[in-house]
Amino acid sequence: MTKQNGDVSYLKNIPKARYIEGVKAEKSGYVKTLNAEICGKASIDLGARKNEKRR
């Protein structure tokens, strides 16, 4: 459970990425905006599955 009472148990079954690359920020701070559509498309391009039910 999370602090918002969400069930995250399904995350245990997600396979790890074959390659992991660390990215360091140029300066400290917070993300102010994020384009969810571009992030979603990038995820699909990188191999994320679309329209698949969680197990």
Side-chain angles (χ1 to χ4, degrees):
M1 293 300 232
T2 66
K3 290 185 178 186
Q4 295 177 342
N5 297 321
D7 180 12
V8 294
S9 62
Y10 67 90
L11 294 174
K12 294 176 187 171
N13 299 323
I14 294 177
K16 297 274 184 192
R18 185 178 307 182
Y19 304 104
I20 298 173
E21 183 70 33
V23 178
K24 292 198 176 206
E26 294 178 5
K27 59 184 180 178
S28 64
Y30 296 92
V31 174
K32 292 168 78 175
T33 61
L34 184 116
N35 187 317
E37 182 179 7
I38 290 174
C39 290
K41 287 179 179 180
S43 296
I44 291 169
D45 289 345
L46 292 169
R49 295 182 182 161
K50 180 170 129 175
N51 296 330
E52 183 176 309
K53 291 184 180 180
R54 292 184 181 149
R55 296 176 195 176

